[in-house]
Amino acid sequence: IKIRIEGYYKTNKEIAVVAYEELKKKGRDCEIIKLSNSFSEIRVDDKMYYVTGMVFGIKGGMTQIITLKPLRDD
């Protein structure tokens, strides 16, 4: 799951909260499971994901891509 946002969020905790808010706006069933500055987990539509973020500078502004990657308990 990829989410493009304007602005810059520094910690994984901030990124996870923004991802949660954006997914809720889109009507997705989600819940924050674990929230920390280094590793956060979100449940989306009964699947578990961990949160990562990348930052891009575009014409004087900042855009961040939040990626939720599947979390596997093997």
Side-chain angles (χ1 to χ4, degrees), residues 26-53:
K26 294 178 181 179
R28 303 290 291 268
D29 178 28
C30 56
E31 176 184 6
I32 295 174
I33 303 300
K34 180 180 178 184
L35 199 58
S36 78
N37 285 330
S38 59
F39 185 81
S40 299
E41 298 173 15
I42 297 179
R43 180 189 54 76
V44 181
D45 301 328
D46 294 323
K47 293 182 183 174
M48 296 294 293
Y49 296 89
Y50 67 95
V51 180
T52 64

Side-chain angles (χ1 to χ4, degrees), residues 9-69:
Y9 298 88
K10 192 172 184 178
T11 67
N12 194 271
K13 183 187 288 187
E14 292 172 326
I15 293 168
V17 170
V18 171
Y20 169 81
E21 290 170 352
E22 290 296 316
L23 289 166
K24 282 301 231 184
K25 282 183 200 172
K26 294 178 181 179
R28 303 290 291 268
D29 178 28
C30 56
E31 176 184 6
I32 295 174
I33 303 300
K34 180 180 178 184
L35 199 58
S36 78
N37 285 330
S38 59
F39 185 81
S40 299
E41 298 173 15
I42 297 179
R43 180 189 54 76
V44 181
D45 301 328
D46 294 323
K47 293 182 183 174
M48 296 294 293
Y49 296 89
Y50 67 95
V51 180
T52 64
M54 298 174 81
V55 178
F56 301 96
I58 300 176
K59 295 183 182 176
M62 297 292 277
T63 298
Q64 193 160 13
I65 304 292
I66 300 172
T67 304
L68 280 73
K69 295 187 178 184

